[in-house]
Amino acid sequence: MPICDVCSAEAEGVTVPVRVFQRAVADGKFNPFRLGLATGRADWSEGENLAYWAKVVRENETDWFLCHACHRAFHAQTQSGAGAPARPPQREPAAGGGLPAKLETLRRLHPLPAQPGVPADWKPGLFGGLFGAPKPWGGVADAVMLLRHGRIAEARELLKRLVAHDRNNLAARLWLSLESRRPPHDETIKASVLVPALPRPERDALETLIAFATANGEWLGEAFLAAMERPAGSELGAFLQVAAFVAAGDMWMQTQLLHPRGRAMESVIVTKSVKAFAQFLERRHDEAWTLANEVASDPAAVVESYGRNLKISPTAQETETLTTVARNCANLILGLILFDLGYDAERRALFAGAVPHMEPNMAKACQLLA
């Protein structure tokens, strides 16, 4: 009989996706101590017990098993909003292109499909690898859906099996290569082995993301230029090419101001756009969405930030050009988030609107995503 992860009772129950559970706890909607479902340490206050438990929830990367009693309480709290701080009703402002200001709106509009079936013994055993990788239990679409449900370890294991059993499965190789850049860290996913074996421009796009993550400016510039040389050949390749374009945004913006003045780039300037893109790569979608929306609504603020940090007063023409680029990059980040979470109708409309603003190869990438 399974054990409830909240009250520790031995009972039948329900599995709650880890990201759904984490979000409910982070938003203050579910407090098992206040509800009498958990006791915690007797010598700690409710606040101390909740703070420690919330840290455990944040750091856990597996789904939560709740007995039926705890699940009923969880569902009642999270669906009704009980336990959340009272707020006056507000009309939610819309983001650019009619997109909502918060991802929660899209989550309500588009509930995730049912989770793919995963064998109970999916974890590699003691002799895993000695006789070859176990056979996959699904396809790439199943792995992607597992990722969207927050079941990262299971998705990665499925992708590893798909790649091991079919080296020509480009989609599985691309998803696994992307996973090598995203948390939580997994030493068994070797980017140094996966990425060089990819076709171009996917290889160059992923190398751009690696260079961005390591703040290697010289490599970033070389990989970015290479990634832009050829149009993407698939939807996922286009996704990676757009990500590479955004990853080099800070370098491009600085170059436009520094090069005419005979100056060289010295370091990364962490604007809201750069931070939003880094959060997107870390799967911190809600934070990235908020920041990208702020930039899309006021791109001139990003240009002002560059001027202050570089101690440069941009000309009127530079300001106009850079403001347009900042807005376009912010919208592309929103599109990347929509793709990552599977909101296809919204991301197709957004990328269709981006096509006229892009150079030929990037326009092709946006067309593939539209």
Side-chain angles (χ1 to χ4, degrees):
M1 187 76 71
I3 304 295
C4 176
D5 289 332
V6 172
C7 70
S8 300
E10 186 175 358
E12 298 293 338
V14 177
T15 298
V16 177
V18 61
R19 295 291 179 259
V20 173
F21 197 84
Q22 287 174 331
R23 189 162 61 247
V25 174
D27 291 345
K29 293 183 177 180
F30 185 61
N31 181 343
F33 304 99
R34 183 176 303 165
L35 297 171
L37 301 174
T39 55
R41 286 183 52 168
D43 56 335
W44 283 7
S45 67
E46 178 186 308
E48 289 172 325
N49 276 308
L50 178 61
Y52 178 82
W53 182 75
K55 181 176 182 293
V56 173
V57 173
R58 285 196 305 272
E59 295 176 351
N60 178 64
E61 287 296 334
T62 58
D63 294 340
W64 286 74
F65 176 80
L66 275 59
C67 68
H68 289 303
C70 286
H71 185 257
R72 283 194 295 271
F74 176 84
H75 186 270
Q77 295 289 298
T78 55
Q79 296 303 311
S80 67
R87 297 179 181 175
Q90 295 179 340
R91 184 174 181 178
E92 183 180 299
L99 292 168
K102 295 182 180 180
L103 280 176
E104 193 57 42
T105 303
L106 290 176
R107 292 190 180 99
R108 290 196 298 267
L109 287 173
H110 308 296
L112 283 174
Q115 300 183 40
V118 177
D121 59 348
W122 68 269
K123 292 184 179 180
L126 180 63
F127 298 103
L130 292 179
F131 307 102
K135 291 184 179 180
W137 62 78
V140 174
D142 296 306
V144 173
M145 190 53 62
L146 286 169
L147 289 172
R148 289 171 181 165
H149 276 283
R151 298 171 69 174
I152 309 300
E154 292 156 301
R156 288 175 172 177
E157 176 63 21
L158 176 53
L159 288 170
K160 290 175 191 174
R161 296 185 184 193
L162 287 167
V163 169
H165 283 268
D166 182 6
R167 289 288 176 180
N168 295 320
N169 192 331
L170 179 58
R173 289 163 60 202
L174 287 175
W175 276 110
L176 190 57
S177 297
L178 179 60
E179 281 302 298
S180 73
R181 309 310 318 146
R182 310 190 80 170
H185 179 63
D186 185 340
E187 292 184 355
T188 66
I189 305 177
K190 303 290 186 183
S192 59
V193 175
L194 287 165
V195 175
L198 294 173
R200 298 179 70 179
E202 288 89 347
R203 182 191 70 204
D204 298 315
L206 277 159
E207 287 191 347
T208 305
L209 301 187
I210 297 172
F212 170 85
T214 56
N216 187 324
E218 184 176 352
W219 187 16
L220 177 63
E222 293 174 356
F224 165 70
L225 291 175
M228 296 300 114
E229 284 181 0
R230 299 170 177 78
S234 65
E235 189 177 78
L236 183 53
F239 168 78
L240 294 170
Q241 194 169 30
V242 170
F245 180 86
V246 176
D250 170 67
M251 180 188 67
W252 190 91
M253 297 278 278
Q254 287 202 54
T255 301
Q256 301 309 300
L257 292 173
L258 293 171
H259 184 70
R261 294 164 175 84
R263 292 171 55 184
M265 180 176 166
E266 296 179 358
S267 61
V268 173
I269 296 177
V270 184
T271 61
K272 287 183 178 179
S273 296
V274 174
K275 190 173 182 179
F277 183 67
Q279 289 172 336
F280 156 72
L281 288 178
E282 294 171 1
R283 291 194 175 90
R284 295 161 61 184
H285 295 108
D286 291 88
E287 296 164 83
W289 185 267
T290 297
L291 280 182
N293 266 325
E294 290 177 7
V295 176
S297 301
D298 186 15
V302 172
V303 181
E304 292 170 7
S305 176
Y306 277 110
R308 286 194 306 271
N309 280 277
L310 298 173
K311 296 180 173 57
I312 289 174
S313 296
T315 66
Q317 182 59 51
E318 287 173 332
T319 298
E320 181 180 353
T321 299
L322 295 178
T323 298
T324 299
V325 171
R327 181 186 294 109
N328 289 342
C329 279
N331 283 327
L332 290 178
I333 293 171
L334 294 174
L336 292 171
I337 296 170
L338 292 170
F339 181 98
D340 214 26
L341 297 179
Y343 301 132
D344 292 336
E346 289 80 4
R347 62 98 170 172
R348 292 187 190 283
L350 187 147
F351 281 113
V355 171
H357 306 288
M358 298 292 137
E359 294 297 322
N361 285 345
M362 274 298 296
K364 172 64 174 177
C366 290
Q367 286 173 342
L368 285 170
L369 291 166

